[in-house]
């Protein structure tokens, strides 16, 4: 892949990542508000707050990971890592270059279209998304 293309996709991925993390930080601040309500002015019990903080953080992380945007950020991060590695734009399966036109639509794509389709056919019918 050309360096100029890599730059373009990196930009695109970072942009998408920002949109997604904005969404997640919205979730985070809602958790913060809940935490503040819960702890109130119990500053004398601040040693408990560390525990509550960890708890809230864990719940938030679980929520972020479980949410669509959380998973999406994970995919974007993986794609950004591939840009650094120099493996970006190569199909995980057949190692051919993924067409730029496909990457423009799905910048975090790991498979070329034919491998993606083959992958989806391998899935059990109950998981497979049917368009019929
Ligand atoms: Zn492929």
């Amino acid at each position: 892949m050309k360096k100029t293309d890599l730059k373009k996709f990196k930009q695109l991925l970072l942009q998408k990542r920002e949109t997604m993390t904005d969404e997640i930080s919205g979730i985070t601040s809602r958790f913060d508000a809940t935490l503040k309500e819960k702890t109130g002015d119990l500053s004398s019990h601040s040693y408990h707050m560390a525990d509550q903080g960890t708890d809230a953080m864990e719940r938030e992380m679980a929520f972020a990971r479980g949410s669509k945007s959380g998973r999406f950020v994970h995919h974007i991060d993986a794609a950004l890592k591939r840009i650094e590695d120099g493996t970006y734009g190569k199909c995980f399966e057949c190692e051919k270059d993924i067409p730029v036109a496909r990457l423009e639509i799905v910048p975090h794509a790991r498979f070329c279209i034919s491998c993606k389709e083959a992958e989806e056919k391998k899935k059990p019918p109950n998981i497979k998304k049917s368009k019929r």
Side-chain angles (χ1 to χ4, degrees):
M1 182 173 283
K2 280 181 287 181
K3 270 194 177 153
T4 47
D5 280 339
L6 273 182
K7 246 188 176 170
K8 185 178 80 180
F9 286 120
K10 187 174 180 175
Q11 217 57 43
L12 201 65
L13 284 159
L14 287 172
Q15 241 173 47
K16 277 187 186 272
R17 196 184 191 286
E18 208 170 313
T19 318
M20 287 300 142
T21 46
D22 276 356
E23 214 171 282
I24 292 171
S25 61
I27 297 163
T28 313
S29 49
R30 276 202 294 280
F31 267 107
D32 279 350
T34 318
L35 189 65
K36 277 191 192 103
E37 271 170 36
K38 269 175 80 178
T39 53
D41 56 358
L42 302 169
S43 49
S44 57
H45 296 287
S46 59
Y47 56 96
H48 283 313
M49 281 174 74
D51 288 343
Q52 283 172 348
T54 311
D55 185 47
M57 184 75 87
E58 270 169 17
R59 270 186 296 140
E60 172 214 311
M61 287 304 287
F63 191 85
R65 272 198 300 268
S67 73
K68 202 181 168 200
S69 40
R71 283 198 299 273
F72 197 54
V73 168
H74 169 81
H75 282 304
I76 288 171
D77 280 347
L80 284 167
K81 197 173 174 290
R82 291 199 295 279
I83 289 181
E84 301 302 320
D85 290 350
T87 57
Y88 181 77
K90 285 222 188 307
C91 175
F92 269 39
E93 188 67 33
C94 64
E95 293 182 1
K96 281 182 194 151
D97 287 340
I98 300 170
V100 166
R102 168 158 166 73
L103 290 169
E104 275 171 354
I105 303 161
V106 192
H108 58 280
R110 287 176 300 165
F111 300 105
C112 67
I113 289 170
S114 52
C115 290
K116 176 86 185 162
E117 280 175 355
E119 184 67 26
E120 277 172 4
K121 273 178 198 153
K122 269 194 273 175
K123 285 179 190 166
N126 59 332
I127 293 174
K128 188 182 154 191
K129 279 181 210 144
S130 176
K131 278 182 183 163
R132 271 176 286 164

